[in-house]
Amino acid sequence: MPNNRVINFNEPYISGDEEKYIKDVFERNSFYGNGYYTQECQKIIKDRVGAKNVLLTDSCTSALEMAALLLRDWDYEQEVILPSYTFTSTAAAFAKVGFKIIFAEINPHTMMLDIDDVTKKLTNRTTAIIIVHYGGFGASAELFKELCDGKSIYLIEDAAQAYGSKENDRHLGTIGDLGCFSFHETKNLHAGLSGALVINNEKFNQRAMHILERGTNRQEVLKGLEDKYSWVEIGGSFYPTELQAAFLFPQLKSFEKNLIKREEIFLGYYEAFLNQNFKNLHFHKVKADSKINYHAFWLIFASIEECNFVRTSLLDNNINAYIGYVPLHSSKVGIKMGYSKEDLKLTQEYSERLLRLPLHHNMIKEDSLMISQMIIKLLIEYRL
Ligand SMILES: *Cc1c(COP(=O)(O)O)cnc(C)c1O
């Protein structure tokens, strides 16, 4: 059953109302940011995830960089522990302000940080553990929170892919001291580029505003609390323009609609493989106590060769499945940091056996069912 229509790995979601709200920014005649739509987006995100404080940023990378600046104490050598199986920004945000990057192993069943390996790598310089909620699934945030509590270690959640997902009825991004969301066009909801920093630990509220305002006390001056505008902190340019926020606004409002469609397509894959009994074929099971945002579906094959065979065969049929992250510890930068491939054997091996399947709004459930049937056929053929 060849497939002629090209099925892309991802296509940006469009709610339909983006242009209307962007036009309204022209009416309001304030563009640079921190205005009406920024406030509205922050309110929606806060209500959705039940957070105390949310700052809209121009990317998740910026939210992570703000987190790194908030945690940096320039008088000390500091370490952060994070997975190597993640996007560059998770590590780079902390590396660029001088944290030593300690990569820990993943649990191959979840592709997320292994708490036992993290525990082994704790030192008296460990400032934070950064968990990554891969594919919108929870990384067991509460277990990591318990580990951090009592050791004065901060927990940071890279929830770039996890907006709207829950673990034990708590929204991902709200369990650690700080949480970071992405609204990049490859994520469920987006503004082209955008993101958010969730501040759960109140001690960071004021300094986060300084960092967001390019290191100044501008907010206090605007509120009349300070009469002079001055440089109080090393900050940056981290917030989006009103044009981005106006684009994001209707996207955030269409959360439920977006989710229902993603769930259908996700279930096309999930149910097809749940009904199979292949040995050495893994995918993440949906736990009863979690609620996911259906960001991604992936398969882990028995070998790198089998994974490549399926990927290239799908490509021959105009279906673009995508490999997972290339581990950071064995990348050019990772090697420079002193790591070698062998340091994280599970990360290295499982990342090369993983294939992410297309999932976006220009698909229907029949597409994911068709792709699943094609993969099942390919596997039977390959394993003969
Ligand atoms: C997408 C992603 C990022 C980066 O998000 P941007 O908004 O593009 O900066 C960071 N971490 C993870 C895990 C991601 O998936």
Side-chain angles (χ1 to χ4, degrees):
M1 41 171 173
N3 169 60
N4 295 320
R5 190 178 117 241
V6 173
I7 301 182
N8 289 319
F9 175 65
N10 181 63
E11 290 190 22
Y13 173 65
I14 296 295
S15 77
D17 288 329
E18 288 83 354
E19 288 183 36
K20 180 173 104 192
Y21 290 108
I22 285 181
K23 277 207 182 105
D24 187 51
V25 177
F26 286 75
E27 293 298 314
R28 293 175 184 275
N29 200 31
S30 173
F31 298 89
Y32 78 91
N34 240 334
Y36 176 78
Y37 283 107
T38 299
Q39 301 299 327
E40 288 299 305
C41 287
Q42 288 175 171
K43 253 187 252 162
I44 296 176
I45 298 166
K46 241 161 91 170
D47 289 348
R48 162 76 48 201
V49 304
K52 286 180 238 158
N53 191 7
V54 170
L55 298 174
L56 206 63
T57 59
D58 56 7
S59 64
C60 180
T61 300
S62 285
L64 288 161
E65 289 183 6
M66 287 184 68
L69 283 168
L70 283 167
L71 298 191
R72 187 71 178 109
D73 183 336
W74 300 92
D75 293 334
Y76 296 97
E77 279 182 20
Q78 291 174 296
E79 296 175 356
V80 282
I81 304 178
L82 64 152
S84 159
Y85 189 73
T86 182
F87 187 62
T88 55
S89 301
T90 321
F94 289 84
K96 73 193 281 188
V97 294
F99 283 93
K100 184 165 182 203
I101 302 297
I102 309 294
F103 290 120
E105 270 290 16
I106 48 166
N107 173 339
H109 294 296
T110 62
M111 298 304 283
M112 290 184 268
L113 210 46
D114 174 21
I115 197 159
D116 294 329
D117 197 43
V118 170
T119 307
K120 280 186 213 146
K121 288 174 173 165
L122 291 170
T123 72
N124 56 8
R125 291 177 300 277
T126 307
T127 301
I129 297 170
I130 308 159
I131 54 175
V132 177
H133 299 299
Y134 185 56
F137 288 91
S140 302
E142 282 177 340
L143 288 182
F144 280 98
K145 187 70 189 137
E146 274 171 36
L147 179 65
C148 290
D149 284 350
K151 288 199 167 68
S152 31
I153 293 173
Y154 294 108
L155 180 66
I156 310 299
E157 296 176 76
D158 181 340
Q161 306 182 0
Y163 180 70
S165 292
K166 286 183 194 174
E167 247 177 0
N168 295 321
D169 226 30
R170 290 182 73 186
H171 271 273
L172 302 182
T174 67
I175 300 158
D177 295 280
L178 299 163
C180 304
F181 291 128
S182 172
F183 300 115
H184 184 279
E185 74 168 42
T186 52
K187 308 300 198 273
N188 291 15
L189 303 173
H190 72 101
L193 287 175
S194 191
L197 178 68
V198 182
I199 304 174
N200 305 311
N201 184 335
E202 291 168 9
K203 75 179 259 195
F204 293 124
N205 282 336
Q206 192 183 31
R207 288 187 50 227
M209 279 316 293
H210 294 158
I211 289 169
L212 190 71
E213 285 284 16
R214 297 146 174 82
T216 71
N217 62 350
R218 183 167 174 274
Q219 284 303 318
E220 281 102 315
V221 176
L222 289 178
K223 286 182 193 147
L225 298 171
E226 296 280 345
D227 52 4
K228 269 201 265 88
Y229 182 91
S230 67
W231 188 21
V232 294
E233 170 100 43
I234 293 176
S237 177
F238 293 123
Y239 55 77
T241 69
E242 277 287 285
L243 295 165
Q244 279 161 286
F247 189 107
L248 185 61
F249 177 67
Q251 293 246 340
L252 291 173
K253 288 211 297 184
S254 67
F255 175 86
E256 309 286 353
K257 202 174 121 207
N258 177 291
L259 196 67
I260 289 168
K261 181 81 193 275
R262 290 193 81 92
E263 180 180 14
E264 265 178 39
I265 302 162
F266 179 94
L267 289 180
Y269 292 128
Y270 193 74
E271 288 163 0
F273 288 101
L274 214 49
N275 290 327
Q276 295 295 319
N277 275 312
F278 286 110
K279 279 208 179 98
N280 284 318
L281 181 75
H282 299 288
F283 56 98
H284 200 310
K285 302 299 184 308
V286 182
K287 287 194 218 152
D289 61 0
S290 71
K291 191 179 175 305
I292 55 167
N293 67 359
Y294 307 104
H295 178 64
F297 183 87
W298 68 87
L299 291 169
I300 298 177
F301 294 94
S303 67
I304 300 172
E305 292 73 24
E306 187 177 84
C307 182
N308 281 335
F309 169 75
V310 172
R311 186 177 55 79
T312 52
S313 305
L314 290 176
L315 200 57
D316 290 341
N317 283 284
N318 299 313
I319 296 160
N320 291 280
Y322 202 73
I323 59 169
Y325 292 123
V326 180
L328 299 181
H329 77 281
S330 54
S331 68
K332 194 171 161 185
V333 179
I335 302 289
K336 260 195 179 163
M337 287 176 172
Y339 285 95
S340 68
K341 255 189 182 177
E342 293 71 38
D343 289 338
L344 298 167
K345 288 203 171 69
L346 295 173
T347 298
Q348 196 64 42
E349 183 186 333
Y350 282 86
S351 63
E352 293 182 69
R353 286 162 47 182
L354 184 146
L355 195 65
R356 282 183 55 177
L357 303 181
L359 209 174
H360 57 74
H361 274 255
N362 296 326
M363 292 171 66
I364 51 173
K365 188 170 184 179
E366 281 66 32
D367 293 325
S368 52
L369 282 170
M370 180 272 290
I371 294 170
S372 303
Q373 290 316 317
M374 195 180 280
I375 295 173
I376 290 163
K377 244 182 96 198
L378 286 165
L379 275 178
I380 293 170
E381 181 191 322
Y382 188 82
R383 292 184 176 190
L384 262 184

